[in-house]
Amino acid sequence: MELENSRAMDELIAQVRQLGMTLAANVAEFDLGPVFEKLSHAAGPKKGRLLDLIDGSSVVINSNHPMASKLADGKPGRAQVLASAIISLVNRAEKDLTDHHQRHLHRYLLESMVSST
């Protein structure tokens, strides 16, 4: 079961990386690419945070968090939800990724979800 969950998380991460690289191309003033390139998962405490930003450029998903299994269930839109959460996390930590950038990226994500249906 754990191997299956790990594969599902790896698949989700691959989708989010691809989406993130597209998003990164939409923000010239901040290099968002490395954040999505370095995206990984690790088993953390169940009551810990879902996402942690390490050194301002690496996001780690807590694969033991209850939301992690929901995000990795393969349903449409999960990659966009996780990408949105990552953008919000980076926005809070990095002054160069502004609220304006965040709104622009979230709008792009929403439009991609609507156009894919």
Side-chain angles (χ1 to χ4, degrees):
M1 184 68 167
E2 189 171 316
L3 181 58
E4 187 176 312
N5 290 342
S6 181
R7 283 188 194 148
M9 184 59 69
D10 289 342
E11 186 175 315
L12 174 65
I13 287 173
Q15 292 171 6
V16 173
R17 278 188 185 136
Q18 183 177 12
L19 181 58
M21 297 315 292
T22 302
L23 292 170
N26 285 286
V27 180
E29 302 86 4
F30 184 84
D31 191 8
L32 194 56
V35 172
F36 286 99
E37 287 172 358
K38 296 177 185 177
L39 181 62
S40 64
H41 67 93
K46 287 188 182 217
K47 294 193 178 200
R49 292 185 291 203
L50 174 64
L51 301 173
D52 279 312
L53 183 64
I54 311 298
D55 297 329
S57 66
S58 179
V59 174
V60 178
I61 304 166
N62 176 358
S63 57
N64 281 337
H65 191 281
M67 185 58 74
S69 62
K70 290 182 191 258
L71 287 169
D73 67 7
K75 291 184 180 177
R78 300 299 201 221
Q80 286 88 347
V81 169
L82 184 54
S84 177
I86 291 168
I87 290 164
S88 296
L89 178 69
V90 173
N91 171 255
R92 286 190 303 272
E94 300 292 330
K95 66 179 174 84
D96 292 336
L97 185 67
T98 66
D99 290 347
H100 173 74
H101 294 128
Q102 181 177 349
R103 283 189 298 275
H104 173 74
L105 294 169
H106 284 158
R107 184 173 34 255
Y108 179 88
L109 286 170
L110 286 171
E111 288 171 357
S112 73
M113 290 173 72
V114 170
S115 67
S116 69
T117 57

